[in-house]
Amino acid sequence: MNTEMIKQLLILLLSSSLVSNVVLSQFLGLCPFLGVSKKVKTASGMGVAVIFVITLASAVAGVIYRFVLVPLQITYLQTIVFILVIAALVQFVEMFLKKSMPSLYQALGVYLPLITTNCAVLGVALANVQKEYDILTGIVNGFGTAVGFTIAIIILAGIREKTAYNDVPEAFRGMPMVLLTAGLMAIAFCGFSGLL
């Protein structure tokens, strides 16, 4: 791998994680972003699970698309196939967490199976195909996107923990304050657009 390729992959990694953050600029994956961001511990656990699922889904979906769907000329089935791949990977993560980290499994609750329907995971797999990324570039894009999701959810969880006991007007308590915070984070992340 030459230095130009490495440079392009690093730019893609930064771009997909910060500049075009999946949650704050594309508004994908909002359900777990808003639902699991009450505590930093559960947010970081969700982030790690999403990193694993999106990165692996990008790799598996890229291989299946390139070596199965394209040769058989059934690319119109890509969405269904990608959903099945994602569902299988989420089941694997769920079994692993239930066995090895039961407290995190309990804390994530219903949001762990929701990774299956997290549109960010499917969105990355479909974007890799639409942008005609090769398998390695798709994996880097998936990893960067998942890291961006993790950064955003951990920042939001940290802010929510700090503001949980603040004196907030009644109209802004609960979800309105969370949405306002997420909006301000999205504006702040727009500052990264000049980075690349």
Side-chain angles (χ1 to χ4, degrees):
M1 190 181 307
N2 59 12
T3 56
E4 185 62 32
M5 176 77 166
I6 293 172
K7 181 181 174 184
Q8 288 177 349
L9 291 176
L10 286 174
I11 289 172
L12 177 64
L13 184 69
L14 279 174
S15 173
S16 59
S17 61
L18 297 177
V19 177
S20 54
N21 187 287
V22 70
V23 176
L24 300 174
S25 69
Q26 299 175 20
F27 307 113
L28 297 174
L30 287 176
C31 180
F33 176 68
L34 297 173
V36 184
S37 60
K38 291 179 183 171
K39 301 235 180 277
V40 172
K41 184 178 179 183
T42 56
S44 48
M46 175 60 92
V48 169
V50 166
I51 287 174
F52 178 77
V53 170
I54 288 182
T55 306
L56 216 56
S58 297
V60 174
V63 169
I64 289 174
Y65 183 81
R66 180 159 299 216
F67 297 112
V68 178
L69 299 180
V70 171
L72 295 176
Q73 297 178 349
I74 53 172
T75 55
Y76 56 89
L77 292 175
Q78 68 187 7
T79 304
I80 295 169
V81 171
F82 293 170
I83 289 171
L84 292 173
V85 166
I86 292 164
L89 290 172
V90 170
Q91 287 299 313
F92 175 72
V93 169
E94 194 171 353
M95 289 186 304
F96 175 77
L97 287 179
K98 190 174 186 178
K99 184 106 173 146
S100 63
M101 296 180 237
S103 61
L104 180 59
Y105 175 79
Q106 291 294 328
L108 291 174
V110 71
Y111 293 101
L112 188 58
L114 280 178
I115 296 177
T116 304
T117 58
N118 185 344
C119 53
V121 182
L122 181 60
V124 170
L126 292 174
N128 288 343
V129 169
Q130 289 170 352
K131 294 178 182 178
E132 298 179 357
Y133 288 154
D134 60 28
I135 295 169
L136 177 61
T137 308
I139 292 170
V140 169
N141 183 47
F143 178 74
T145 301
V147 167
F149 176 88
T150 304
I151 290 169
I153 197 171
I154 289 174
I155 290 172
L156 182 63
I159 293 171
R160 283 181 77 174
E161 280 186 0
K162 295 291 183 192
T163 61
Y165 302 106
N166 288 0
D167 187 25
V168 177
E170 191 172 337
F172 287 101
R173 287 189 189 138
M175 196 51 69
M177 186 57 119
V178 174
L179 292 173
L180 183 63
T181 304
L184 292 173
M185 284 175 57
I187 292 170
F189 268 67
C190 285
F192 290 119
S193 61
L195 185 67
L196 301 173

